[in-house]
Amino acid sequence: PSFNSSYFEKKAKIWQKKYSRRRHLVKLLVLQDRNKRVLCPRSLESFTNWQKAQKSKAKYQAKAANQRRDYLHKLTTHLVKQYDVIAIEDLKTKNLQKNHHLAKSIANASWRMFRQMLEYKCEWYGKKLIAVDPKNTSRICSKCGYNSGAKPLEIREWTCSKCQTKHDRDINAAVNILHKGSTKLNGQGLAMVTS
Ligand SMILES: [Zn+2]
């Protein structure tokens, strides 16, 4: 199961929204008291509603993070035990960090964690991890090598205009990454078959 749409992730998002809304309202009330110079102005801390939301938010964020880590551990252990050589895209952390969108930053954190786990587990089990240049991996046809340019992310399938091969976007990119990894290994060939 994908961890981006998990139950905890959704709960965390809902509580994040409640927390922001409640805290904002309370801030307005506190400001109002101050502006009206009331005798006993209320403080932020005197309101428990937003603090409850903050705790729920933190609880679900932690649960979601734990679930992501567990998932990545299972996935990387499975991959490293099953394959002798694993090729991944060498995505630059600098580019990854540029995106401030929440879902993207979670994806970025997960990608970094995924890669770190692969690195040390490959070391433990004596397997080989090859990081390849991500350039053009989603643009090139894995069958004939023709570069048909960038495709928007929502396009999941496409047909090569040169050799007419029908591609699944992710599988085509994976095959290209494998080719690059293979070349990097100096033609030793990759054992990616299930044992
Ligand atoms: Zn082609």
Side-chain angles (χ1 to χ4, degrees), residues 141 144 160 163:
C141 165
C144 73
C160 175
C163 73

PDB file of all heavy atoms in Angstrom, residues 141 144 160 163, ligand 1:
ATOM      1  N   CYS A 141      12.583   6.504 -25.351  1.00  0.00           N
ATOM      2  CA  CYS A 141      11.914   5.224 -25.563  1.00  0.00           C
ATOM      3  C   CYS A 141      12.919   4.116 -25.240  1.00  0.00           C
ATOM      4  O   CYS A 141      14.014   4.086 -25.795  1.00  0.00           O
ATOM      5  CB  CYS A 141      11.458   5.113 -27.025  1.00  0.00           C
ATOM      6  SG  CYS A 141      11.003   3.457 -27.551  1.00  0.00           S
ATOM      7  N   CYS A 144      13.749   1.873 -28.669  1.00  0.00           N
ATOM      8  CA  CYS A 144      14.553   2.335 -29.803  1.00  0.00           C
ATOM      9  C   CYS A 144      15.475   3.507 -29.445  1.00  0.00           C
ATOM     10  O   CYS A 144      16.315   3.906 -30.247  1.00  0.00           O
ATOM     11  CB  CYS A 144      13.649   2.729 -30.968  1.00  0.00           C
ATOM     12  SG  CYS A 144      12.760   4.278 -30.715  1.00  0.00           S
ATOM     13  N   CYS A 160       5.583   5.553 -28.545  1.00  0.00           N
ATOM     14  CA  CYS A 160       6.763   6.129 -29.199  1.00  0.00           C
ATOM     15  C   CYS A 160       6.413   6.477 -30.637  1.00  0.00           C
ATOM     16  O   CYS A 160       5.889   5.647 -31.382  1.00  0.00           O
ATOM     17  CB  CYS A 160       7.919   5.133 -29.168  1.00  0.00           C
ATOM     18  SG  CYS A 160       9.363   5.719 -30.090  1.00  0.00           S
ATOM     19  N   CYS A 163       9.023   4.162 -33.087  1.00  0.00           N
ATOM     20  CA  CYS A 163       8.885   2.710 -33.249  1.00  0.00           C
ATOM     21  C   CYS A 163       7.496   2.199 -32.878  1.00  0.00           C
ATOM     22  O   CYS A 163       7.230   0.994 -32.932  1.00  0.00           O
ATOM     23  CB  CYS A 163       9.957   1.967 -32.452  1.00  0.00           C
ATOM     24  SG  CYS A 163       9.700   1.976 -30.666  1.00  0.00           S
TER      25      CYS A 163
HETATM   26 ZN    ZN B   1      10.714   3.895 -29.772  1.00  0.00          ZN
END
